């Protein structure tokens, strides 16, 4: 098909007034031609910044946190309108935090629990090293909400606090996407549990006392602990909601952390009536989860089978048969696809199968781009895979050049 240029394509069905068609001549200045193309709107969403993944988006602010020094940004800029719902506060960070390493750590954890919807969930991360806190901005609202469930995740020996920032407005955020973590997250994979870690429950010096008589009063529980270890900073005495009696266990934190060991020694195994007390540090279960996290993150990452590039990129799921049935619509799609494909190399052929009545057409709904060599098709694959075209997600793969050249497509 002849590579003609037509008016800018709009993916909506509303028709704008006709525009003057560009000249088909290629004899104009190449630089001027490129300038005109760079201003042309297409059906594709915003792609990766020039220079490859990881660079700031064209015209974007490399530091989306006003007043803070710039941290690393990763990939194309997400929708600025949803920024409030895509940011999280990170607290209790260890000293000398490497921002890129922390971002990679969060991405890895989010993928492990099944909470990632993009290849690189963390778009930007800033750390205030002096005060050991930071902010992370995510690619999507859903990934941000899922990361809230990672509260307490270990990083360099520290249990990170993950919270919504002060400017978070729940009523507004709910209109932008999911505001709660998915219930399907596999938090146990990284040694976490639903709800994350909270304070003071995760105080390493908090003790658990079990085997208490059910008729023991809360005041008697406090007296028992203070006699064994001294003044309490906080306590929790569990009761049966149906009877109002004690549930047989409770928790406590002493003013002096060193009192915890003395209380455990004094109370563990102590008989009260027909019961024998059990006393230990409540954080023992947390330490087991932390060890599980350390094992997970110290293990080598799984090897992902990378596709072997050929000179032909196949774009799946980006167009529909109904769109291709309209000749004008087909030309606009062809024009958009060609313009985007030429950004990544020398396009020898672009093929978009057309519907033929009720007949079955091989490759219908797919776009095939034949490049001069595989290095160019690999750049196209990396840039277009996962992108949006007219609201549809593009899934890219490779096709054998010989099959394509012989007309054998699928």
């Amino acid at each position: 098909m002849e590579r003609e240029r037509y008016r800018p394509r709009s993916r909506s069905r509303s028709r704008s007034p006709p525009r003057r068609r560009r000249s088909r001549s290629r004899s104009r200045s190449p630089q001027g031609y490129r300038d005109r193309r760079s201003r042309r709107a297409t059906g594709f969403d915003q792609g990766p910044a020039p220079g490859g993944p990881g660079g700031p988006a064209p015209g974007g602010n490399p530091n989306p946190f006003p007043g803070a020094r710039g941290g690393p940004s990763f990939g194309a800029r997400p929708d600025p309108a949803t920024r409030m719902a895509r940011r999280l506060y990170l607290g209790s960070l260890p000293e000398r935090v490497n921002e890129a390493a922390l971002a990679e750590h969060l991405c890895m954890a989010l993928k492990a629990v099944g909470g990632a919807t993009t290849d690189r969930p963390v778009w930007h991360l800033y750390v205030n090293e002096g005060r050991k806190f930071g902010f992370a901005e995510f690619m999507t609202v859903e990934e941000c909400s899922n990361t809230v469930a990672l509260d307490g995740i270990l990083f360099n020996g520290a249990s990170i606090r993950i919270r919504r920032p002060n400017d978070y407005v729940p009523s507004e955020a709910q209109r932008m996407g999911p505001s709660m973590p998915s219930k399907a997250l596999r938090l146990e994979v990284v040694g976490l549990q639903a709800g994350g870690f909270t304070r003071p429950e995760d105080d390493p010096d908090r003790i658990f006392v079990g085997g208490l008589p059910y008729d023991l009063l809360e005041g008697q529980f406090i007296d028992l602990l203070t006699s064994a270890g001294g003044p309490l900073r906080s306590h929790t005495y569990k009761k049966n909601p149906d009877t109002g009696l004690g549930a047989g266990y409770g928790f406590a934190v002493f003013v002096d952390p060193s009192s915890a060991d003395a209380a455990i020694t004094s109370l563990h195994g102590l008989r009260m009536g027909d019961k024998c007390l059990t006393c230990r540090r409540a954080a023992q279960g947390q330490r087991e989860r932390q060890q599980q996290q350390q094992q997970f993150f110290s293990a080598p990452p799984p090897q992902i089978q990378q596709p072997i590039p050929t000179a032909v990129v196949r774009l799946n799921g980006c167009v529909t048969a109904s769109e291709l049935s309209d000749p004008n619509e087909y030309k606009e799609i062809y024009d958009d696809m060609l313009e985007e494909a030429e950004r990544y190399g020398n396009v020898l052929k672009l093929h978009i199968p057309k519907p033929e009545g009720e007949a079955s057409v091989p490759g219908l709904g797919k776009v095939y781009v034949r490049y001069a060599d595989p290095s160019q098709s690999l750049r196209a694959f990396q840039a277009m895979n996962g992108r949006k075209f007219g609201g549809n997600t593009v899934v890219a793969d490779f096709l054998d050049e010989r099959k394509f050249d012989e007309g054998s497509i699928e």
Side-chain angles (χ1 to χ4, degrees), residues 280-312:
R280 58 175 171 77
R281 290 182 183 270
Q284 285 181 356
Q286 177 189 349
R287 284 200 295 271
E288 293 173 358
R289 292 192 295 270
Q290 289 177 340
Q291 292 172 358
Q292 183 178 354
Q293 288 186 41
Q294 291 171 340
Q295 292 173 358
F296 174 81
F297 288 111
S298 62
Q303 297 298 316
I304 301 176
Q305 185 67 34
Q306 297 293 335
I308 300 175
T310 68
V312 180

Side-chain angles (χ1 to χ4, degrees), residues 158-364:
S159 182
I160 301 175
R161 297 185 64 185
I162 301 178
R163 301 286 188 273
R164 297 287 190 181
N166 291 334
D167 63 354
Y168 180 74
V169 183
S171 59
E172 295 182 11
Q174 289 177 357
R175 297 194 294 267
M176 302 177 187
S179 58
M180 298 295 293
S182 169
K183 295 182 180 180
L185 297 180
R186 302 183 300 274
L187 297 176
E188 68 280 0
V189 174
V190 293
L192 293 175
Q193 57 188 358
F197 293 136
T198 57
R199 276 65 173 177
E201 286 79 356
D202 293 317
D203 191 310
D205 296 308
R206 185 174 187 249
I207 66 170
F208 164 83
V209 183
L212 298 169
Y214 297 126
D215 58 357
L216 188 73
L217 301 177
E218 185 171 1
Q220 294 173 314
F221 173 70
I222 295 174
D223 291 340
L224 175 68
L225 290 166
T226 54
S227 64
L232 298 180
R233 191 177 76 200
S234 65
H235 76 279
T236 302
Y237 183 60
K238 297 294 184 178
K239 294 183 178 180
N240 186 320
D242 295 328
T243 65
L245 298 175
Y249 68 97
F251 301 87
V253 179
F254 291 96
V255 173
D256 181 1
S258 63
S259 298
D261 290 329
I264 292 171
T265 301
S266 175
L267 297 177
H268 186 66
L270 179 68
R271 295 196 64 85
M272 292 190 69
D274 59 348
K275 292 182 174 291
C276 186
L277 299 187
T278 298
C279 189
R280 58 175 171 77
R281 290 182 183 270
Q284 285 181 356
Q286 177 189 349
R287 284 200 295 271
E288 293 173 358
R289 292 192 295 270
Q290 289 177 340
Q291 292 172 358
Q292 183 178 354
Q293 288 186 41
Q294 291 171 340
Q295 292 173 358
F296 174 81
F297 288 111
S298 62
Q303 297 298 316
I304 301 176
Q305 185 67 34
Q306 297 293 335
I308 300 175
T310 68
V312 180
V313 177
R314 176 173 52 192
L315 308 178
N316 305 276
C318 49
V319 291
T320 64
S322 60
E323 292 174 320
L324 299 173
S325 297
D326 184 335
N328 293 328
E329 190 83 353
Y330 181 90
K331 292 177 181 178
E332 291 178 353
I333 292 173
Y334 187 94
D335 191 59
D336 279 357
M337 286 292 179
L338 179 60
E339 183 165 326
E340 182 69 19
E342 286 181 335
R343 294 179 60 193
Y344 312 108
N346 180 20
V347 177
L348 301 183
K349 184 177 181 181
L350 180 81
H351 178 56
I352 307 177
K354 290 183 178 181
E356 298 178 0
E358 299 298 325
S360 176
V361 178
L364 185 63

